[in-house]
Amino acid sequence: QSSDEQVAQDTALDFPLQQDIVDGCCGAGADSVALCTNSRPTLSIDVDQIACTLTKANLESHGAIPSVLCGAIESASLPERFHLHVDPDRRASGNRTVQPEHMAPAWSALSPLIAKSKSCSLKLAPGLKFPHQLDWGPSGPPDTLRWISRQGVVRQQRWYWRVERWPENAIVTSCMTRHGDWHHELFASAQIAHHAGSIDPGSNLKNLFIADQDP
């Protein structure tokens, strides 16, 4: 679910201009580059020193001034008011997990950060099943779910809190067309945290896997 340039540039639009962004678990910095080069002051954080070195180099190669912190996001000194982009580690124990409470940072650590942020975009594996029974903590469940598809592949699942670009209580599927344009479809959900499926039961698409828009 790593962000390529096109996906990173589109997801950067989830955040307002000229406001502080924290890019948690930044990895090699693809999302940090998109955020910084689109006029969003960004603090990039990762526990891995190699990841921080790569992020710094990638930011510098794109003409951005790096602000990179090596350490755990849950113990970092963050701006007083910030928007949060975070890509938790799904292999913290060496094996891949699809359970948020077993990721790093664990949900118990992420939830207070999400609650504190002005808005949050959480990047997850596209096949992760929505955990209806998760103890959400202070963040509560996400307002909106989104799947992002490009070149015939579903790249990412996103959970959003307070992101003005997308309506609340909706499921969004985004696909880059062969012409290089983004096409977004919105599906309403009355209560996303308790919804029995991914689609409104009245939809003709209810028996299809809608995230794969361009297989």
Side-chain angles (χ1 to χ4, degrees), residues 93-127:
S93 63
N95 297 315
R96 183 178 302 191
T97 180
V98 293
Q99 297 176 288
E101 60 269 31
H102 295 158
M103 296 175 184
W107 190 258
S108 58
L110 278 177
S111 182
L113 291 173
I114 294 170
K116 182 181 178 183
S117 68
K118 295 180 69 175
S119 70
C120 175
S121 172
L122 180 71
K123 184 200 298 186
L124 296 162

Side-chain angles (χ1 to χ4, degrees), residues 6-17:
Q6 289 80 5
V7 171
Q9 290 290 335
D10 182 74
T11 53
L13 302 178
D14 293 336
F15 299 102
L17 298 173

Side-chain angles (χ1 to χ4, degrees), residues 3 22 24 48 61 67 85 88 103 144 163 169 182 190-191 210:
S3 295
V22 172
D48 187 272
S61 72
S67 178
H85 175 277
M103 296 175 184
T144 303
V163 172
N169 297 321
W182 284 99
Q191 281 190 310
I210 62 155

